[in-house]
């Protein structure tokens, strides 16, 4: 089974700080990604402190299941998919993750937004500088 433990810290910042950081590091090739999150009507995934997402970058779709381990750590399971609809996923490994973490199959979109992500890679991790466009506002975040 594919396991990836993710440790991340996120901090909302304002546009001024975003622009200062953007020009303080050697960011290359920003990526535009659209994230769509899914849950049940009863928020069964959220109740497990988890998340189910499909991230689209150009024509590539990446399924992600995150399950919270502690305040800063998640178990993260990712796999590239071809399905357009989350309920059409038939990949045995992903279905096994659903079974293992009791994720129901009747998921529907709960949120969708687009992020311009700048990444600065260093020896032990990455610094991500995000500008996220929601329906009515824009957020700036460092991760």
């Amino acid at each position: 089974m594919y396991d990836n433990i993710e440790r991340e810290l996120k901090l909302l910042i304002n546009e001024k700080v975003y622009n200062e950081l953007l020009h303080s590091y050697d960011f290359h090739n920003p990526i535009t990604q659209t994230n769509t999150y899914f849950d049940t009507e009863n928020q069964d995934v959220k109740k497990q402190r988890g998340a189910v997402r499909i991230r689209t970058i150009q024509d590539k779709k990446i399924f992600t299941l995150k399950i919270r381990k502690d305040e800063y750590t998640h178990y993260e399971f990712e796999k590239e998919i071809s399905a357009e609809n989350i309920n059409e996923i038939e990949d045995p490994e992903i279905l096994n993750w659903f079974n293992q973490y009791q994720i129901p199959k009747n998921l529907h979109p709960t949120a969708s937004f687009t992020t311009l992500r700048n990444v600065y890679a260093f020896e032990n991790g990455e610094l991500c500088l995000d500008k996220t466009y929601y329906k009515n506002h824009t957020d700036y975040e460092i991760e």
Side-chain angles (χ1 to χ4, degrees):
M1 181 175 78
Y2 170 91
D3 279 329
N4 187 14
I5 295 180
E6 177 186 57
R7 294 195 59 113
E8 67 182 6
L9 299 172
K10 295 183 178 194
L11 179 65
L12 281 174
I13 57 178
N14 63 35
E15 184 176 11
K16 180 179 183 285
V17 172
Y18 172 86
N19 286 321
E20 288 172 359
L21 289 169
L22 186 61
H23 294 94
S24 297
Y25 289 88
D26 193 16
F27 292 106
H28 293 286
N29 304 320
I31 300 164
T32 299
Q33 58 191 31
T34 299
N35 296 304
T36 303
Y37 285 82
F38 300 86
D39 207 338
T40 64
E41 292 290 333
N42 296 327
Q43 299 184 322
D44 293 317
V45 178
K46 184 178 180 180
K47 287 175 185 172
Q48 292 190 66
R49 296 159 46 129
V52 173
R53 165 184 83 206
I54 294 178
R55 173 172 283 162
T56 304
I57 304 171
Q58 295 177 346
D59 293 332
K60 185 177 180 179
K61 292 177 185 48
I62 303 165
F63 169 88
T64 304
L65 169 63
K66 290 186 180 188
I67 299 293
R68 188 171 177 172
K69 179 180 177 190
D70 61 42
E71 186 176 1
Y72 302 108
T73 309
H74 292 85
Y75 293 112
E76 183 176 274
F77 307 92
E78 278 192 340
K79 190 163 191 183
E80 191 170 338
I81 60 172
S82 59
E84 294 289 328
N85 181 321
I86 190 124
N87 295 309
E88 294 173 357
I89 294 175
E90 296 179 0
D91 183 283
E93 189 172 25
I94 293 173
L95 295 176
N96 183 49
W97 297 337
F98 278 15
N99 287 335
Q100 182 179 354
Y101 292 99
Q102 297 84 43
I103 305 296
K105 292 174 76 174
N106 59 334
L107 300 173
H108 65 88
T110 58
S112 187
F113 48 84
T114 300
T115 299
L116 176 63
R117 170 161 282 184
N118 292 277
V119 178
Y120 177 76
F122 53 94
E123 185 177 344
N124 295 313
E126 293 180 332
L127 173 69
C128 296
L129 193 60
D130 292 346
K131 183 176 186 177
T132 301
Y133 303 92
Y134 296 93
K135 185 176 180 180
N136 296 318
H137 71 282
T138 301
D139 274 349
Y140 303 90
E141 181 180 83
I142 187 168
E143 178 179 323

